[in-house]
């Protein structure tokens, strides 16, 4: 398999319907799409195997390409530029809460000629169930094609003449200036003729939906375009039927080309979702926070008293997410294994309670008072944490090299009990606040006494460790330390010396102690945390330069993956909630500091 068969990760835009997404490469190919919901088996996955994954391409052969989003929306446009003609393909999915009954699972692709006579080529080759399940193809004259498999049916509705091509269909057609041709892809819907104006109607409604949603943002600072795009990305990662939020909509995009650090992120991490809710509330989007609080309350009620919460769940709340390797897929540019499911679901990560309680505290303060039922459910989780917070765990970075008493986990234990005391005091909600204060104090002293290394002049990854950990940049963000506290400033300097290279920040030194072979890129979340830490420490000029440099690593439509490689390439799953939520927080605080 040639690398040229795989567009770079960053050469994509993303569209979605608040249940799932599709990735569209700059060459006009949908190379990732899981119908129905984020973690469903794929129909198009050529991003993970160019031969066996399946793809759907519409393009003008021999043209230069440009890609953009229509203003203030998640409607993508790919332009094909040639000397004699310019063609465009507009791609979108209809958001689920715009009209569920009319468009349950729809991708719309509109080909247009905007100058000259544009020649288009269409090739649709689905592969059901990650390419594991066969299907049949039936062309219906004047209506399109039906791809039928035991796991579902894909219908391609169009007036464009189609011809069979093995397990797929192809077409070539030309459009003169002002002409257009529509293709509507639907899941588990009987084929029917495409009515004139149907796609235009869906386009107008979808564009209005996104523009009306974004209009509610209250950010009007210096980096409005990037903040707005990040908000739109986070909204795309919401699973509307339940209020859950996924960490990223893809699986197994590598953290190192050819490496094994390839994970499935199409699930709801308590930590990631809590951070996402905070970012959206910062911009004034509270409906998403309210829906997530409902989802969270259900998870708290379901959790056995002796087990606590799981680290991650599927969007419907299922925590049985066995990690499976798809041996038949080659992986992105040969980066195997391709995994579905995530073994981290069975890990112990004590920090999640701090992120969770912080987001609940902010929701209660900024959005709406939490219910007594949620408060009681959270109190039971704090009872569990009180019994287990001193145990070793796998930590925020989900290491697979054995459990440790991670400093960040103790930091977040302090946050969990401190925020519980605040909520109880502000609302008069009942709770053992004296006990919570005691646990918070013990966690605080553990960080200060056991995790501080006076020789290095820094808080270390865990007591006795020689490694720095960029997650501790969060200390002033969660108000554990003042932003100019001498110990934190010294830690900030050590992180700058050991983990930062030209604005890019590593999570930790990849020396094998995390239990995994190979290397990884710099971690975008940590880079934006570094910006915010510098800002709060008063090093505003430095923070702004680091922030502006980080903006140059966004792709052509403002999207980020999880990590950045040595040549500035995107690595890891894409787009990544962690990156975009941290960008929002850094932009808000830096803009405020600049005045």
């Amino acid at each position: 398999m040639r690398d040229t068969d795989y567009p770079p990760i960053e050469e994509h835009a993303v569209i979605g319907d608040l249940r799932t997404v599709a990735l569209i490469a700059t060459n006009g190919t949908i190379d990732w799409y899981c119908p129905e919901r984020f973690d469903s088996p794929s129909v198009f996955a050529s991003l993970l195997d160019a031969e066996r994954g399946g793809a759907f391409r519409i393009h003008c052969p021999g043209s230069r390409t440009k890609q953009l989003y229509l203003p203030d929306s998640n409607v993508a446009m790919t332009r094909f530029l040639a000397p004699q003609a310019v063609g465009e393909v507009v791609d979108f999915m209809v958001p689920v809460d715009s009209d569920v009954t009319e468009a349950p699972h729809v991708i719309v692709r509109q080909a247009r000629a905007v100058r000259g006579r544009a020649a288009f080529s269409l090739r649709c080759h689905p592969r059901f169930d990650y390419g594991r399940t066969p299907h049949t193809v039936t062309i219906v004259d004047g209506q399109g094609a039906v791809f039928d498999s035991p796991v579902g049916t894909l219908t391609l509705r169009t007036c464009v003449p189609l011809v069979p091509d093995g397990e797929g269909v192809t077409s070539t057609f030309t459009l003169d200036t002002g002409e257009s041709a529509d293709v509507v892809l639907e899941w588990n819907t009987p084929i029917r003729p495409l009515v004139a104006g149907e796609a235009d109607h869906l386009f107008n409604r979808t564009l209005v939906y996104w523009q009306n949603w974004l209009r509610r943002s209250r950010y009007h600072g210096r980096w409005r375009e990037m903040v707005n795009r990040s908000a739109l990305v986070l909204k795309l990662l919401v699973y509307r039927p339940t209020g859950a939020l996924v960490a990223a909509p893809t699986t197994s995009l590598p953290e190192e080309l050819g490496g094994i650090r390839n994970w499935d992120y199409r699930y709801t991490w308590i930590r990631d979702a809590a951070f996402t809710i905070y970012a959206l509330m910062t911009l004034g989007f509270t409906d998403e926070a309210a829906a997530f609080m409902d989802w969270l309350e259900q998870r708290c009620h379901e959790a056995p008293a002796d087990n606590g919460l799981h680290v991650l769940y599927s969007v419907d709340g299922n925590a049985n997410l066995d990690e499976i390797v798809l041996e038949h897929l080659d992986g992105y540019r040969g980066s195997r294994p391709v995994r579905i499911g995530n073994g981290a679901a069975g890990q112990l990560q004590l920090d999640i309670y701090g992120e969770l309680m912080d987001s609940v505290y902010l929701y209660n303060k900024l959005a709406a008072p939490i219910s007594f039922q949620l408060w009681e459910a959270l109190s039971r989780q704090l009872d569990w944490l009180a019994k287990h917070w001193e145990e070793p765990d796998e930590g925020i970075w989900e290491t697979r090299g054995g459990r440790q008493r991670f400093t960040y986990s103790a930091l977040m234990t302090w946050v969990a009990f401190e925020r519980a005391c605040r909520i109880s005091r502000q609302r008069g909600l009942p709770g053992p606040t004296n006990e919570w204060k005691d646990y918070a104090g013990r966690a605080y002293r553990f960080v200060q006494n056991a995790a501080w290394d006076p020789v290095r002049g820094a808080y270390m990854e865990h007591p006795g460790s020689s490694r720095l950990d960029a997650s501790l940049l969060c200390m002033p963000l969660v108000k554990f330390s003042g932003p100019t506290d001498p110990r934190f400033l010294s830690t900030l300097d050590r992180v700058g010396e050991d983990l930062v290279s030209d604005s890019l920040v590593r999570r930790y030194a990849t020396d094998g102690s995390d239990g995994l072979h190979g290397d990884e890129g710099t971690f975008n979340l940590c880079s934006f945390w570094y910006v915010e830490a510098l800002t709060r420490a008063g090093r505003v000029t430095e923070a702004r330069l680091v922030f502006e440099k980080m903006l140059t690593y966004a792709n052509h439509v403002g999207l980020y993956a999880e990590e950045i490689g040595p040549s500035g390439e995107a690595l890891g799953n894409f787009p990544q909630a962690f990156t975009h939520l941290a960008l929002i927080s850094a932009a808000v605080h830096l803009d405020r500091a600049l005045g």
Side-chain angles (χ1 to χ4, degrees):
M1 201 75 65
R2 301 168 302 172
D3 283 356
T4 53
D5 294 330
Y6 296 88
I9 293 170
E10 63 267 23
E11 290 294 313
H12 290 85
V14 61
I15 58 174
D17 64 358
L18 306 182
R19 290 166 296 183
T20 189
V21 304
L23 266 59
I24 304 155
T26 52
N27 63 10
T29 303
I30 295 179
D31 54 16
W32 181 253
Y33 172 59
C34 302
E36 292 192 295
R37 64 186 228 181
F38 294 104
D39 57 348
S40 294
S42 63
V43 168
F44 301 129
S46 59
L47 191 61
L48 296 179
D49 192 309
E51 290 185 1
R52 290 178 283 269
F56 180 20
R57 185 176 187 183
I58 302 178
H59 70 125
C60 296
S63 302
R64 297 175 63 244
T65 64
K66 299 287 184 181
Q67 197 174 57
L68 69 152
Y69 280 112
L70 299 191
D72 297 340
S73 80
N74 282 314
V75 177
M77 174 186 287
T78 307
R79 309 192 75 216
F80 301 93
L81 313 175
Q84 304 304 318
V86 173
E88 295 175 347
V89 176
V90 174
D91 289 296
F92 61 94
M93 296 170 70
V94 182
V96 64
D97 54 355
S98 60
D99 194 330
V100 179
T101 57
E102 287 186 25
H105 295 283
V106 180
I107 297 177
V108 180
R109 313 199 73 185
Q110 295 185 291
R112 304 170 180 173
V114 296
R115 177 173 63 81
R117 187 173 179 82
F120 288 87
S121 174
L122 178 154
R123 183 178 186 272
C124 184
H125 273 245
R127 295 289 186 272
F128 291 82
D129 187 25
Y130 305 108
R132 297 180 295 188
T133 302
H135 65 273
T136 60
V137 185
T138 304
I139 293 178
V140 181
D141 289 340
Q143 296 185 39
V146 178
F147 307 92
D148 192 43
S149 83
V151 296
T153 301
L154 197 67
T155 58
L156 192 159
R157 301 170 53 220
T158 184
C159 297
V160 173
L162 303 173
V163 296
D165 180 31
E167 295 178 304
V169 296
T170 62
S171 178
T172 57
F173 56 96
T174 58
L175 299 173
D176 289 320
T177 303
E179 292 183 336
S180 63
D182 299 328
V183 178
V184 175
L185 203 66
E186 295 184 347
W187 179 252
N188 285 343
T189 303
I191 196 166
R192 61 193 188 281
L194 188 62
V195 179
E198 180 180 347
D200 287 338
H201 172 65
L202 294 175
F203 168 80
N204 291 329
R205 283 178 38 207
T206 301
L207 190 63
V208 168
Y209 172 84
W210 288 117
Q211 291 176 344
N212 284 344
W213 181 81
L214 188 61
R215 195 171 291 125
R216 292 159 43 204
S217 173
R218 60 189 181 202
Y219 178 81
H220 303 288
R222 291 167 174 82
W223 298 284
R224 186 175 180 182
E225 184 175 352
M226 289 300 296
V227 168
N228 283 352
R229 178 50 53 197
S230 291
L232 285 163
V233 170
L234 294 182
K235 178 66 172 175
L236 278 181
L237 301 183
V238 172
Y239 183 68
R240 179 66 174 84
T242 64
L245 303 100
V246 298
T250 56
T251 181
S252 300
L253 293 181
E255 298 174 19
E256 179 188 29
L257 287 181
I260 64 167
R261 297 169 183 254
N262 317 320
W263 314 109
D264 192 348
Y265 279 7
R266 298 172 298 159
Y267 306 110
T268 300
W269 270 254
I270 296 293
R271 173 194 312 113
D272 300 46
F275 280 140
T276 300
I277 287 303
Y278 169 67
L280 289 173
M281 285 194 296
T282 299
L283 302 180
F285 298 108
T286 57
D287 290 349
E288 293 74 18
F292 177 69
M293 289 298 156
D294 290 340
W295 181 89
L296 174 64
E297 184 175 338
Q298 293 178 51
R299 305 292 81 74
C300 289
H301 284 306
E302 293 167 358
D306 56 344
N307 281 343
L309 291 170
H310 290 278
V311 174
L312 65 144
Y313 297 84
S314 66
V315 291
D316 62 2
N318 178 27
N320 298 316
L321 304 174
D322 293 339
E323 193 170 286
I324 300 169
V325 173
L326 300 179
E327 300 284 0
H328 66 289
L329 296 181
D330 280 343
Y332 176 80
R333 300 193 179 188
S335 300
R336 306 181 72 177
V338 173
R339 294 180 171 98
I340 56 174
N342 198 303
Q347 288 189 349
L348 177 65
Q349 296 175 27
L350 296 167
D351 64 282
I352 66 173
Y353 297 93
E355 291 110 358
L356 173 59
M357 290 304 299
D358 199 29
S359 68
V360 171
Y361 163 73
L362 291 167
Y363 177 80
N364 184 76
K365 178 181 177 182
L366 301 175
I370 63 170
S371 68
F372 179 66
Q373 289 82 359
L374 176 56
W375 175 249
E376 286 208 309
L378 293 169
S379 296
R380 286 193 294 274
Q381 295 305 314
L382 293 173
D383 290 342
W384 183 91
L385 181 62
K387 298 174 183 176
H388 298 278
W389 76 272
E390 294 178 290
E391 297 176 9
D393 70 346
E394 275 87 6
I396 179 177
W397 304 131
E398 302 178 352
T399 58
R400 301 195 177 194
R403 293 180 176 181
Q404 297 286 349
R405 288 289 310 276
F406 286 105
T407 305
Y408 182 81
S409 296
L411 166 68
M412 283 295 154
T413 295
W414 173 84
V415 172
F417 288 114
E418 198 276 340
R419 297 306 190 267
C421 291
R422 287 197 192 197
I423 297 172
S424 177
R425 182 174 63 251
Q426 293 171 2
R427 288 280 311 282
L429 293 170
T433 53
N434 288 334
E435 293 179 20
W436 291 343
K437 287 178 183 178
D438 180 62
Y439 287 119
R442 289 166 57 187
Y444 191 95
R445 285 188 291 271
F446 174 85
V447 174
Q448 295 289 10
N449 297 334
W452 172 255
D453 184 337
V455 176
R456 291 295 306 277
Y459 298 102
M460 306 309 291
E461 181 184 51
H462 56 80
S465 173
S466 61
R467 291 204 314 185
L468 292 165
D469 183 348
S471 68
L472 301 180
L473 292 169
C474 275
M475 284 183 165
L477 280 60
V478 298
K479 305 189 185 306
F480 176 87
S481 69
T484 58
D485 180 275
R487 285 190 171 189
F488 176 73
L489 290 180
S490 182
T491 302
L492 181 60
D493 288 338
R494 298 296 85 75
V495 168
E497 293 164 2
D498 287 15
L499 298 180
V500 180
S501 174
D502 190 31
S503 81
L504 302 174
V505 182
R506 288 186 174 273
R507 296 187 290 181
Y508 49 78
T510 47
D511 55 10
S513 60
D514 61 0
L516 297 167
H517 297 293
D519 202 356
E520 64 179 18
T522 56
F523 210 74
N524 293 326
L525 167 71
C526 298
S527 297
F528 285 117
W529 275 351
Y530 186 55
V531 171
E532 189 166 344
L534 289 171
T535 300
R536 291 172 182 260
R539 295 158 60 175
V540 177
T541 300
E542 184 181 355
R544 183 169 188 177
L545 179 58
V546 173
F547 186 74
E548 295 286 1
K549 282 185 175 181
M550 277 303 299
L551 296 185
T552 69
Y553 292 104
N555 79 348
H556 56 288
V557 289
L559 306 183
Y560 290 86
E562 182 179 27
E563 300 180 3
I564 293 172
S567 301
E569 70 275 20
L571 292 174
N573 286 306
F574 174 92
Q576 180 82 2
F578 255 169
T579 304
H580 287 280
L581 65 87
L583 183 156
I584 290 171
S585 186
V588 168
H589 286 89
L590 181 56
D591 193 67
R592 187 179 302 154
L594 289 167

